[in-house]
């Protein structure tokens, strides 16, 4: 079966299963935050800190060592990954591979391509920005801390981003698609939902709601990749490359990941037309490159067409 969304019809795909499954995965994911909250609470307690400040983002980010904080933040996504596997395999009786790809085997080469395209671009733009505006950055490379960060990032960031891709572009996209038997609704709902997931990020508080254009636009980019390529490999690679390379290269005191990166951005941020450039210019270029590499065709039917669910499916 070469229809990525229709693969869900090979398992139990009643609407109520996706409603319950989505909720259960979210709860399991949130259970994964307990070690982080527990570690921060313990550190505050032994230091005589105010436990009521646990709801404060600065407290969560600043109480523990930054590398330990980074690891514990990402640990919740590893728990969430286990949760989505559990629900797919035992609640929907669906092969886990079928929530990842239509191909016979998971295509690691596609993951590498997706990772490389965005990784190269972020690295190049960061170097260019640092060269043109050196006063906006603080050189922060401390090899002992950076190597620990790199080890954590290389292992944990792909788990984080793969969980998000499976949850949104795999599980939810397939579920909405087989329930409503079309592609445009899961394309829109999962993209907007992915953007709204980032509503609590400190970047939103610092830059305002206009930054949601970037988050929702990224959701559409990743969803289009999944639908056009009939699998998640490219979006998994792209998402991992974006998060990992950014975490290693540059951070700021107002970003979700505050890491022992090579550079710290010190200039007060502002948002203008530049927030539209990635969504309107750079993302279409990404799609054009991948469309050429993988010979994507039938854009209208793949993005907006019907989903044919076999009548004999369970």
């Amino acid at each position: 079966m070469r229809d990525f969304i229709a693969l869900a019809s090979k398992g139990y795909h009643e609407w109520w299963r996706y409603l319950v499954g989505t909720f259960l995965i979210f709860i399991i994911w949130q259970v994964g935050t307990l070690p982080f909250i527990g570690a921060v609470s313990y550190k505050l307690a032994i230091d005589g800190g105010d436990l009521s400040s646990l709801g404060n983002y600065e407290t969560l980010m600043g109480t523990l060592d930054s590398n330990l904080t980074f690891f514990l933040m990402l640990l919740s996504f590893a728990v969430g990954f286990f949760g989505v596997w559990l629900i797919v395999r035992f609640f929907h009786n669906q092969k886990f591979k079928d929530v990842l790809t239509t191909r016979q085997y998971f295509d690691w080469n596609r993951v590498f391509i997706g990772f490389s395209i965005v990784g190269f671009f972020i690295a190049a733009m960061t170097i260019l920005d640092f060269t043109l505006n050196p006063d906006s950055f603080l050189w922060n490379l401390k090899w002992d801390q950076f190597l620990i960060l790199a080890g954590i990032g290389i292992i944990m960031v792909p788990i984080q981003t793969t969980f998000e891709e499976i949850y949104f572009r795999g599980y939810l996209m397939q579920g909405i698609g087989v329930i409503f038997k079309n592609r445009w609704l899961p394309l829109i709902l999962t993209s907007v939902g992915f953007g709204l997931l980032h509503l609590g990020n400190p970047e939103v508080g610092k830059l305002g709601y206009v930054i949601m254009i970037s988050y929702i636009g990224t959701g559409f980019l990743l969803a289009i990749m999944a639908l056009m390529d009939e699998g998640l490999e490219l979006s998994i690679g792209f998402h991992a490359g974006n998060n990992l390379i950014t975490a290693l290269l540059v951070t700021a005191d107002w970003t979700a990941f505050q890491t022992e990166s090579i550079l710290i951005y010190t200039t007060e941020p502002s948002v203008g037309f530049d927030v539209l450039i990635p969504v309107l210019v750079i993302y279409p270029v990404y799609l054009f490159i991948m469309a050429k590499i993988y010979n994507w065709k039938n854009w209208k039917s793949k993005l907006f067409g019907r989903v044919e669910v076999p009548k004999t499916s369970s």
Side-chain angles (χ1 to χ4, degrees), residues 126-134 137:
T126 302
I127 292 170
L128 179 63
D129 195 13
F130 178 67
T131 302
L132 296 178
N133 306 288
F137 296 89

Side-chain angles (χ1 to χ4, degrees), residues 158-205:
I159 294 175
Q160 175 232 338
T161 54
T162 300
F163 162 70
E164 291 185 5
E165 289 308 303
I166 296 172
Y167 194 19
F168 283 92
R169 259 70 63 177
Y171 183 77
L172 285 172
M173 181 171 281
Q174 288 186 345
I176 297 169
V178 296
I179 291 168
F180 293 96
K181 297 181 176 59
N182 66 57
R183 289 167 169 261
W184 63 266
L185 190 61
L187 169 63
I188 293 172
L189 291 183
T190 60
S191 301
V192 174
F194 176 78
L196 294 178
L197 176 69
H198 297 80
L199 197 58
N201 279 22
E203 292 93 335
V204 178

Side-chain angles (χ1 to χ4, degrees), residues 91-123:
F91 193 55
H92 291 273
N93 196 32
Q94 182 182 2
K95 292 181 179 179
F96 193 63
K97 183 194 76 69
D98 286 347
V99 85
L100 293 168
T101 185
T102 57
R103 284 164 276 277
Q104 184 177 1
Y105 300 104
F106 187 78
D107 189 346
W108 287 101
N109 183 63
R110 275 176 155 82
V111 176
F112 177 77
I113 293 296
F115 185 100
S116 299
I117 289 174
V118 68
F120 174 81
F121 178 80
I122 291 174

Side-chain angles (χ1 to χ4, degrees), residues 27-281:
I27 294 300
I28 294 170
W29 174 18
Q30 296 312 301
V31 168
T33 65
L34 294 180
F36 181 33
I37 295 172
V40 174
S41 300
Y42 176 75
K43 186 66 164 58
L44 286 174
I46 63 175
D47 290 346
D50 182 9
L51 290 176
S52 65
S53 65
L54 271 175
N56 184 280
Y57 191 81
E58 286 74 19
T59 299
L60 289 174
M61 292 297 102
T63 300
L64 305 174
D65 170 80
S66 62
N67 280 329
L68 178 58
T69 297
F70 188 54
F71 171 77
L72 291 175
M73 284 181 67
L74 295 176
L75 182 62
S76 67
F77 296 92
V79 176
F81 187 98
F82 172 73
V84 74
W85 174 83
L86 200 66
I87 295 299
V88 168
R89 285 295 296 117
F90 298 103
F91 193 55
H92 291 273
N93 196 32
Q94 182 182 2
K95 292 181 179 179
F96 193 63
K97 183 194 76 69
D98 286 347
V99 85
L100 293 168
T101 185
T102 57
R103 284 164 276 277
Q104 184 177 1
Y105 300 104
F106 187 78
D107 189 346
W108 287 101
N109 183 63
R110 275 176 155 82
V111 176
F112 177 77
I113 293 296
F115 185 100
S116 299
I117 289 174
V118 68
F120 174 81
F121 178 80
I122 291 174
M125 294 306 296
T126 302
I127 292 170
L128 179 63
D129 195 13
F130 178 67
T131 302
L132 296 178
N133 306 288
D135 293 339
S136 296
F137 296 89
L138 176 67
W139 186 261
N140 186 56
L141 180 59
K142 299 185 285 286
W143 280 108
D144 54 340
Q145 293 295 310
F146 178 77
L147 290 176
I148 294 173
L149 168 66
I152 294 171
I154 290 169
I155 295 171
M156 298 299 292
V157 168
I159 294 175
Q160 175 232 338
T161 54
T162 300
F163 162 70
E164 291 185 5
E165 289 308 303
I166 296 172
Y167 194 19
F168 283 92
R169 259 70 63 177
Y171 183 77
L172 285 172
M173 181 171 281
Q174 288 186 345
I176 297 169
V178 296
I179 291 168
F180 293 96
K181 297 181 176 59
N182 66 57
R183 289 167 169 261
W184 63 266
L185 190 61
L187 169 63
I188 293 172
L189 291 183
T190 60
S191 301
V192 174
F194 176 78
L196 294 178
L197 176 69
H198 297 80
L199 197 58
N201 279 22
E203 292 93 335
V204 178
K206 188 71 173 181
L207 302 173
Y209 290 112
V210 67
I211 196 65
M212 294 303 295
I213 294 173
S214 177
Y215 290 130
I216 294 174
T218 301
F220 273 101
L221 170 70
L222 295 168
I224 291 170
M225 285 183 193
L227 288 174
M228 290 304 303
D229 203 51
E230 301 289 4
L232 298 183
E233 292 97 334
L234 286 175
S235 63
I236 285 173
F238 185 97
H239 200 164
N242 179 79
N243 287 25
L244 178 59
I245 301 303
T246 300
L248 294 179
L249 286 184
V250 62
T251 191
D253 61 6
W254 44 268
T255 57
F257 287 159
Q258 296 177 22
T259 62
E260 294 292 341
S261 56
I262 296 174
L263 299 171
I264 297 176
Y265 187 76
T266 57
T267 300
E268 190 70 13
S270 61
V271 174
F273 182 74
D274 55 323
V275 76
L276 297 176
I277 293 177
V279 176
L280 299 180
V281 179

Side-chain angles (χ1 to χ4, degrees), residues 1-14 18 88-89 92-99 101-104 174 178 308-310 312-314:
M1 183 181 290
R2 280 290 294 168
D3 185 333
F4 178 60
I5 289 180
L7 284 177
S9 67
K10 296 169 69 175
Y12 302 136
H13 56 278
E14 298 90 345
Y18 281 97
V88 168
R89 285 295 296 117
H92 291 273
N93 196 32
Q94 182 182 2
K95 292 181 179 179
F96 193 63
K97 183 194 76 69
D98 286 347
V99 85
T101 185
T102 57
R103 284 164 276 277
Q104 184 177 1
Q174 288 186 345
V178 296
E308 300 296 334
V309 178
T312 57
S313 61
S314 59

